[in-house]
Amino acid sequence: KQEVTQIPAALSVPEGENLVLNCSFTDSAIYNLQWFRQDPGKGLTSLLLIQSSQREQTSGRLNASLDKSSGRSTLYIAASQPGDSATYLCAVRRGGQGGSEKLVFGKGTKLTVNP
Amino acid sequence: DGGITQSPKYLFRKEGQNVTLSCEQNLNHDAMYWYRQDPGQGLRLIYYSQIVNDFQKGDIAEGYSVSREKKESFPLTVTSAQKNPTAFYLCASSTDREDYEQYFGPGTRLTVT
């Protein structure tokens, strides 16, 4: 059974700092991995999606990497801003027939960027 | 604007009543999903549908029911059999491209007293 873990559960940093959020998964047979952002009381916003054949994806100040063999992904946020404060979730899609439609989520890392 | 709408944003019900949560998408996606989110537990899959008139149970389907009569709509009914219905409910749909990227609605917060 696939399990996804995000550590730390909460992180507080000063504005301008570069930071890394971690995601680990137990079964390396994944189809892809997706990073989301969730603001309090809101739905999830997709940030980046990495296919199993890719090593990283970039969007603006965000860079996500994937190491399937070690079961890890990181989300790097450059020059953090107070507007980046949110909960960040990662989710993996199981590979193989019949499983590619489901995502398994981590519990998220709550990020606070202090002005 | 293309997207996923959920209504209402907040819903209050008395224990023992069934309640239906609405989810509509205009993204032309075949697949749609319902998740439940509780503090400290992350998102858990309730039901999903890959095509009209077909749906499958997720990890926590007991006490819930769904229908998929139209491609755009995937309503979720929380029945009186659901023991702990108070939660934040999220609807999602995914692309038909090979990446199956998921997009989420704004959520409905259900409170049952």
Side-chain angles (χ1 to χ4, degrees):
Chain A
K1 180 185 174 185
Q2 179 73 270
E3 292 182 0
V4 179
T5 303
Q6 293 185 249
I7 295 173
L11 181 64
S12 182
V13 301
E15 182 177 1
E17 190 164 298
N18 301 327
L19 60 101
V20 173
L21 305 180
N22 297 295
C23 173
S24 61
F25 46 94
T26 54
D27 186 348
S28 61
I30 66 170
Y31 189 83
N32 60 31
L33 183 147
Q34 203 167 346
W35 280 95
F36 295 89
R37 169 189 172 134
Q38 186 177 30
D39 293 291
K42 306 288 186 183
L44 278 64
T45 300
S46 180
L47 297 174
L48 290 164
L49 183 147
I50 311 179
Q51 296 285 34
S52 62
S53 59
Q54 296 174 322
R55 295 284 294 183
E56 65 178 64
Q57 281 284 352
T58 299
S59 176
R61 294 183 293 109
L62 305 179
N63 176 277
S65 68
L66 174 64
D67 184 342
K68 267 182 53 177
S69 60
S70 66
R72 289 157 69 172
S73 176
T74 62
L75 180 66
Y76 173 83
I77 302 177
S80 59
Q81 303 169 358
D84 294 330
S85 298
T87 296
Y88 291 81
L89 297 103
C90 76
V92 299
R93 184 177 302 279
R94 193 175 67 189
Q97 190 174 8
S100 60
E101 67 282 350
K102 294 183 185 179
L103 284 178
V104 178
F105 283 83
K107 295 181 180 180
T109 294
K110 184 176 181 181
L111 173 66
T112 303
V113 181
N114 301 300
Chain B
D1 286 335
I4 302 172
T5 57
Q6 292 185 244
S7 60
K9 186 175 176 64
Y10 299 97
L11 192 53
F12 298 88
R13 281 295 183 269
K14 295 290 188 184
E15 195 173 317
Q17 293 179 334
N18 292 354
V19 60
T20 297
L21 281 60
S22 168
C23 177
E24 304 277 334
Q25 56 100 357
N26 61 5
L27 300 168
N28 200 34
H29 290 167
D30 281 323
M32 297 186 73
Y33 311 80
W34 274 105
Y35 293 90
R36 170 181 173 140
Q37 187 176 35
D38 297 280
Q41 292 231 38
L43 273 74
R44 292 181 290 169
L45 182 64
I46 304 172
Y47 268 98
Y48 65 99
S49 168
Q50 293 181 280
I51 199 167
V52 173
N53 292 322
D54 188 46
F55 48 83
Q56 286 79 40
K57 293 181 180 180
D59 301 317
I60 55 164
E62 185 175 351
Y64 300 97
S65 66
V66 293
S67 63
R68 186 85 187 279
E69 297 177 1
K70 298 187 300 182
K71 186 175 184 177
E72 304 79 25
S73 178
F74 191 40
L76 173 74
T77 297
V78 184
T79 75
S80 56
Q82 169 49 234
K83 295 179 181 177
N84 296 295
T86 295
F88 190 50
Y89 290 88
L90 289 158
C91 178
S93 66
S94 66
T95 66
D96 302 323
R97 302 190 306 260
E98 288 185 354
D99 57 13
Y100 299 103
E101 185 172 6
Q102 277 197 15
Y103 296 86
F104 281 77
T108 292
R109 184 164 299 281
L110 172 64
T111 302
V112 177
T113 58

